[in-house]
Amino acid sequence: ETGVTQSPTHLIKTRGQQVTLRCSSQSGHNTVSWYQQALGQGPQFIFQYYREEENGRGNFPPRFSGLQFPNYSSELNVNALELDDSALYLCASSFVGRSAGELFFGEGSRLTVL
Amino acid sequence: AQSVTQLDSQVPVFEEAPVELRCNYSSSVSVYLFWYVQYPNQGLQLLLKYLSGSTLVKGINGFEAEFNKSQTSFHLRKPSVHISDTAEYFCAVSETGGFKTIFGAGTRLFVKA
């Protein structure tokens, strides 16, 4: 079975720009969660998608948005980038109803905002 | 609302010594508990999880953790560490039937030769 893959691995943007990060879920998984991990911190929950709809959201502004596609791949979009958005963005897939919330993580996309 | 507190930001230890990484959580409902490990420039990998039943759970790489409901703790232990255990360790909690997992700030385990 294939694991969770994320792209791009690294990218640099300037303040005010927009960015799209992509995630391919582990095969057989129907739920994807996105996390922001600032340097030296734990992952912070952004939102979760299940059946192509947002299933829950953390304390992030609306300029953070997402999509989940029928093949369970996902995108995280961030508009009007701010310097504090610089972080590692982690995608995690899981299967609702199995594995009791265990998350399978990709290696992340490291975003630097200048 | 749930929260997770990892009591040590850094734990230096010599190779082959025992180690304990401490984690306390707060929740008004029943929870699942997890420990994840993150090696440099990688995503997180599950070490072990507590769902129900026996309070002592064993995970990969010789790690184990004990769930203590009265103290709301879930400390991670290993009797003898290796250099390769050097990594960041995250304690996490999710409500049973909930949709999100909350992570602690992490503990950096540094194993010295």
Side-chain angles (χ1 to χ4, degrees), chain B residues 1 9 14 45 62 74-75 80 109 111:
Chain B
S9 59
F14 284 103
Q45 175 186 359
F74 190 56
H75 300 334
S80 176
L109 175 64
V111 182

mmCIF file of all heavy atoms in Angstrom, chain B residues 1 9 14 45 62 74-75 80 109 111:
data_model
loop_
_atom_site.group_PDB
_atom_site.id
_atom_site.type_symbol
_atom_site.label_atom_id
_atom_site.label_comp_id
_atom_site.label_asym_id
_atom_site.label_seq_id
_atom_site.Cartn_x
_atom_site.Cartn_y
_atom_site.Cartn_z
ATOM 1 N N ALA B 1 -12.958 21.144 26.072
ATOM 2 C CA ALA B 1 -11.828 21.183 25.132
ATOM 3 C C ALA B 1 -10.681 20.343 25.694
ATOM 4 O O ALA B 1 -10.485 20.255 26.906
ATOM 5 C CB ALA B 1 -11.375 22.614 24.919
ATOM 6 N N SER B 9 10.714 19.857 27.648
ATOM 7 C CA SER B 9 10.941 20.230 26.252
ATOM 8 C C SER B 9 12.138 19.475 25.677
ATOM 9 O O SER B 9 12.164 19.171 24.485
ATOM 10 C CB SER B 9 11.162 21.732 26.132
ATOM 11 O OG SER B 9 12.276 22.134 26.906
ATOM 12 N N PHE B 14 22.094 9.335 28.329
ATOM 13 C CA PHE B 14 23.177 8.545 27.764
ATOM 14 C C PHE B 14 22.638 7.247 27.159
ATOM 15 O O PHE B 14 21.615 6.704 27.612
ATOM 16 C CB PHE B 14 24.239 8.226 28.819
ATOM 17 C CG PHE B 14 25.125 9.401 29.136
ATOM 18 C CD1 PHE B 14 24.932 10.125 30.311
ATOM 19 C CD2 PHE B 14 26.125 9.784 28.260
ATOM 20 C CE1 PHE B 14 25.744 11.214 30.603
ATOM 21 C CE2 PHE B 14 26.942 10.873 28.547
ATOM 22 C CZ PHE B 14 26.741 11.590 29.716
ATOM 23 N N GLN B 45 5.302 9.577 12.943
ATOM 24 C CA GLN B 45 5.055 8.142 12.845
ATOM 25 C C GLN B 45 4.511 7.660 14.183
ATOM 26 O O GLN B 45 5.038 8.030 15.239
ATOM 27 C CB GLN B 45 6.370 7.425 12.520
ATOM 28 C CG GLN B 45 6.314 5.919 12.493
ATOM 29 C CD GLN B 45 7.687 5.301 12.312
ATOM 30 O OE1 GLN B 45 8.699 5.992 12.181
ATOM 31 N NE2 GLN B 45 7.741 3.981 12.299
ATOM 32 N N GLY B 62 10.640 -0.856 21.094
ATOM 33 C CA GLY B 62 10.841 -1.098 22.516
ATOM 34 C C GLY B 62 10.210 -0.085 23.444
ATOM 35 O O GLY B 62 10.438 -0.126 24.660
ATOM 36 N N PHE B 74 0.015 9.983 30.604
ATOM 37 C CA PHE B 74 0.312 8.931 29.616
ATOM 38 C C PHE B 74 1.803 9.038 29.321
ATOM 39 O O PHE B 74 2.204 9.473 28.252
ATOM 40 C CB PHE B 74 -0.544 9.121 28.366
ATOM 41 C CG PHE B 74 -0.501 7.971 27.393
ATOM 42 C CD1 PHE B 74 -0.817 6.679 27.792
ATOM 43 C CD2 PHE B 74 -0.197 8.180 26.045
ATOM 44 C CE1 PHE B 74 -0.807 5.621 26.898
ATOM 45 C CE2 PHE B 74 -0.181 7.132 25.143
ATOM 46 C CZ PHE B 74 -0.497 5.852 25.562
ATOM 47 N N HIS B 75 2.614 8.620 30.267
ATOM 48 C CA HIS B 75 4.070 8.761 30.154
ATOM 49 C C HIS B 75 4.662 7.667 29.281
ATOM 50 O O HIS B 75 4.262 6.501 29.363
ATOM 51 C CB HIS B 75 4.722 8.730 31.528
ATOM 52 C CG HIS B 75 4.253 9.814 32.459
ATOM 53 N ND1 HIS B 75 3.756 11.017 32.013
ATOM 54 C CD2 HIS B 75 4.198 9.852 33.807
ATOM 55 C CE1 HIS B 75 3.437 11.768 33.043
ATOM 56 N NE2 HIS B 75 3.680 11.086 34.150
ATOM 57 N N SER B 80 16.060 1.058 27.788
ATOM 58 C CA SER B 80 17.435 1.236 27.336
ATOM 59 C C SER B 80 17.412 1.914 25.967
ATOM 60 O O SER B 80 16.961 1.309 24.994
ATOM 61 C CB SER B 80 18.144 -0.129 27.256
ATOM 62 O OG SER B 80 19.438 0.004 26.726
ATOM 63 N N LEU B 109 14.206 14.228 22.519
ATOM 64 C CA LEU B 109 15.061 13.242 23.178
ATOM 65 C C LEU B 109 16.403 13.228 22.467
ATOM 66 O O LEU B 109 16.477 13.037 21.255
ATOM 67 C CB LEU B 109 14.428 11.847 23.117
ATOM 68 C CG LEU B 109 15.276 10.692 23.660
ATOM 69 C CD1 LEU B 109 15.537 10.871 25.153
ATOM 70 C CD2 LEU B 109 14.594 9.358 23.403
ATOM 71 N N VAL B 111 20.003 11.392 22.659
ATOM 72 C CA VAL B 111 20.757 10.278 23.234
ATOM 73 C C VAL B 111 22.234 10.472 22.936
ATOM 74 O O VAL B 111 22.638 10.591 21.779
ATOM 75 C CB VAL B 111 20.271 8.930 22.674
ATOM 76 C CG1 VAL B 111 21.053 7.790 23.324
ATOM 77 C CG2 VAL B 111 18.780 8.762 22.909
#
